[in-house]
Amino acid sequence: MTDRLGAKARRTREHILAQGMALMRERGFRGTTIRDICEAAEVSVGTFYAYFHDKGELFRYNFQEKGPAFADFLTISITGDTAYDRVMSFARYYAWLNIGTPKDELERIFLRPDENWYPGNNPAYHVLYTVIREGQERGEFMPEPDANTIVDMLRVFLRGCVYEWIMGGCVFDLEERMCSYVSQLAASFVRR
């Protein structure tokens, strides 16, 4: 994926990307196959591979700037009727980003923090903060602990799931486990 693509090639790549992302939003990361993406984009599998190594690269392509771009994506993509639903939507997208990231890059990010790809505050967690804070303001989540503390707890859960996934050889279903853990934690903050 080079910037030296011609206009037609850029349009083709963007079309494949748009169709792939639409399918992933509808069916989930695992529920979307490369063949599905090719059918939706009306391109051959070979054409897909001319632009993307796999569907994980297609998903990650949206986030060349890592934190800021992923945060922008989350802002428009998180869905749900309640703050709890939006937290779960965040967790699914966070899982997909990690599932779609090559293992060696994940190891660099999670196992060598001195070389972390995004120093300081990650903008994606600011999106999560906004979801939690709005949920507290609407009375969906308890006011205590404060939104920053809840986000920090969720961050530890999310990153811990990815760490365990990496250390275990990436064999368990990261999305399922992450959503299960986050669901239990987030439910503890729901106002009853």
Side-chain angles (χ1 to χ4, degrees):
M1 292 185 305
T2 176
D3 291 330
R4 295 177 289 174
L5 290 176
K8 182 179 180 190
R10 277 194 303 276
R11 283 191 305 273
T12 300
R13 178 185 61 202
E14 295 305 315
H15 180 65
I16 295 168
L17 180 64
Q19 295 302 312
M21 292 306 295
L23 286 172
M24 286 182 198
R25 282 185 184 110
E26 177 187 327
R27 301 178 183 178
F29 185 84
R30 275 215 177 74
T32 302
T33 67
I34 290 172
R35 186 161 306 283
D36 295 336
I37 295 167
C38 292
E39 287 175 11
E42 298 178 342
V43 298
S44 69
V45 172
T47 299
F48 175 92
Y49 284 114
Y51 295 100
F52 303 101
H53 178 72
D54 55 25
K55 69 181 179 181
E57 183 179 25
L58 180 143
F59 188 78
R60 283 189 324 278
Y61 182 78
N62 290 284
F63 320 117
Q64 295 302 313
E65 297 175 40
K66 302 293 186 195
F70 189 53
D72 292 343
F73 169 81
L74 289 170
T75 298
I76 62 171
S77 300
I78 289 177
T79 59
D81 294 332
T82 66
Y84 172 86
D85 294 339
R86 288 187 294 283
V87 167
M88 295 309 300
S89 183
F90 178 97
R92 277 188 293 285
Y93 285 124
Y94 187 84
W96 298 354
L97 180 63
N98 286 284
I99 292 166
T101 300
K103 187 177 181 213
D104 62 333
E105 186 175 346
L106 287 174
E107 289 173 347
R108 182 180 59 77
I109 293 167
F110 284 88
L111 304 180
R112 293 191 298 270
D114 54 316
E115 300 175 24
N116 205 332
W117 59 263
Y118 199 84
N121 293 324
N122 187 320
Y125 292 119
H126 181 71
V127 174
L128 185 58
Y129 170 85
T130 301
V131 168
I132 299 294
R133 187 71 206 122
E134 288 173 355
Q136 288 177 321
E137 288 170 359
R138 286 192 303 271
E140 296 175 32
F141 284 133
M142 295 184 293
E144 296 296 328
D146 64 81
N148 281 319
T149 301
I150 294 173
V151 169
D152 194 50
M153 289 180 201
L154 289 167
R155 180 188 58 78
V156 169
F157 268 60
L158 292 164
R159 290 182 62 88
C161 284
V162 177
Y163 177 82
E164 290 297 321
W165 186 62
I166 295 166
M167 297 306 292
C170 304
V171 296
F172 63 80
D173 185 327
L174 179 63
E175 180 182 357
E176 181 181 301
R177 183 164 302 173
M178 190 175 284
C179 287
S180 172
Y181 290 175
V182 169
S183 172
Q184 293 175 52
L185 182 61
S188 71
F189 301 116
V190 171
R191 181 171 269 164
R192 302 200 191 312

